[in-house]
Amino acid sequence: MTMTRQDKDAIRALQGLEDSRSSVRLRAALAVGTAPDPCFVDKLVERCAIEPEFFVRDMLTWALTRHPVSLTLPELLREVRSERAQARSQALHTLSKIGDRLAWPAITRALLSDVDDEVARSAWRAAVVLVPEGEESALSSVLATQLGRGEQETQLSLSQALVALGEVTVPALHAATTADDPRVRAHALATQRLLRDPDAGFELAIEEAKRVVALAGAPRTDDGNCADR
């Protein structure tokens, strides 16, 4: 059986995805996305789980979005249940880019509270994109349970997700401002600030919120003023 040029190009691209040089892997992913073929889907998904370079992973995601959803969705839904954190994270990221709400049931509470910050962040972004109309309030309540989590980058991602949901997040954020944990209270206050003013910088908002929380918990003098520290 004679191998066509298209077959040879496909083999070359698949081999390129496993090359030790990131520049070659990047070009291979670009080639696969430029000329999509069902035979590429499994390899693209497999590579997403182990690819070490961010910009190559992003090209792999783009290549997957170029293929029919009927082929990519089942593979990605399987990956969100993977034991490998990067596989879960990248599959969620790709689902958010595809934007097909048939994937919504896969965005479980377990993923939204995943122990791996990158997985959780990807799940938050995907959830905001995929949430069906009418379920935004319930989603905001689940996301609010993650307030105070992680470092600033993680907290910013969560705030952005909550702000993207809009006014439905107000009750959950208000409740969080009275939480026992000062980190949760500060994060909730900063997110409220961003909800009112999306152009406000998160770093300034969170530092201001921390000051508010610290002052609220400061010891009081007999005249009702905060004692000097």
Side-chain angles (χ1 to χ4, degrees):
M1 183 176 179
T2 304
M3 183 176 292
T4 66
R5 175 168 182 169
Q6 185 176 5
D7 291 334
K8 292 178 180 178
D9 289 344
I11 291 173
R12 189 178 300 112
L14 290 171
Q15 291 173 337
L17 291 174
E18 298 180 344
D19 195 278
S20 61
R21 295 161 294 180
S22 60
S23 60
V24 175
R25 300 197 303 276
L26 182 66
R27 288 197 299 272
L30 175 61
V32 168
T34 302
D37 187 295
C39 73
F40 293 139
V41 172
D42 286 348
K43 179 57 70 174
L44 287 170
V45 172
E46 177 186 316
R47 188 67 207 176
C48 281
I50 59 175
E51 171 55 50
E53 299 291 342
F54 168 79
F55 57 89
V56 179
R57 292 199 302 272
D58 222 33
M59 189 65 77
L60 292 168
T61 282
W62 172 79
L64 281 166
T65 66
R66 298 272 296 160
H67 289 76
V69 175
S70 60
L71 297 177
T72 58
L73 195 59
E75 297 293 322
L76 294 169
L77 294 180
R78 187 192 68 240
E79 285 294 282
V80 301
R81 299 189 297 271
S82 171
E83 293 183 0
R84 186 187 291 269
Q86 183 173 303
R88 299 197 300 278
S89 176
Q90 198 63 25
L92 287 162
H93 174 65
T94 306
L95 287 171
S96 73
K97 295 299 182 182
I98 292 173
D100 192 309
R101 286 183 170 173
L102 287 175
W104 169 247
I107 312 300
T108 62
R109 192 183 186 106
L111 285 172
L112 294 170
S113 58
D114 197 282
V115 294
D116 186 279
D117 283 346
E118 285 302 314
V119 175
R121 291 172 63 196
S122 295
W124 301 337
R125 290 190 290 265
V128 169
V129 171
L130 300 173
V131 61
E133 186 175 352
E135 295 194 34
E136 295 89 349
S137 181
L139 174 59
S140 71
S141 295
V142 175
L143 293 181
T145 66
Q146 302 302 298
L147 287 164
R149 169 179 176 164
E151 300 302 322
Q152 186 167 300
E153 186 178 20
T154 298
Q155 293 192 4
L156 172 59
S157 291
L158 181 58
S159 291
Q160 289 172 331
L162 285 163
V163 168
L165 290 173
E167 292 299 315
V168 298
T169 64
V170 169
L173 288 174
H174 179 71
T177 61
T178 62
D180 292 336
D181 189 337
R183 283 173 57 86
V184 173
R185 297 201 302 275
H187 194 182
L189 288 169
T191 307
Q192 285 181 327
R193 168 72 184 277
L194 291 181
L195 187 61
R196 294 192 300 268
D197 180 11
D199 294 327
F202 181 75
E203 185 173 355
L204 291 176
I206 194 69
E207 290 304 319
E208 178 183 339
K210 287 177 181 177
R211 286 195 295 272
V212 170
V213 169
L215 289 172
R220 299 279 172 172
T221 62
D222 291 340
D223 61 5
N225 295 319
C226 291
D228 292 336
R229 290 176 179 265

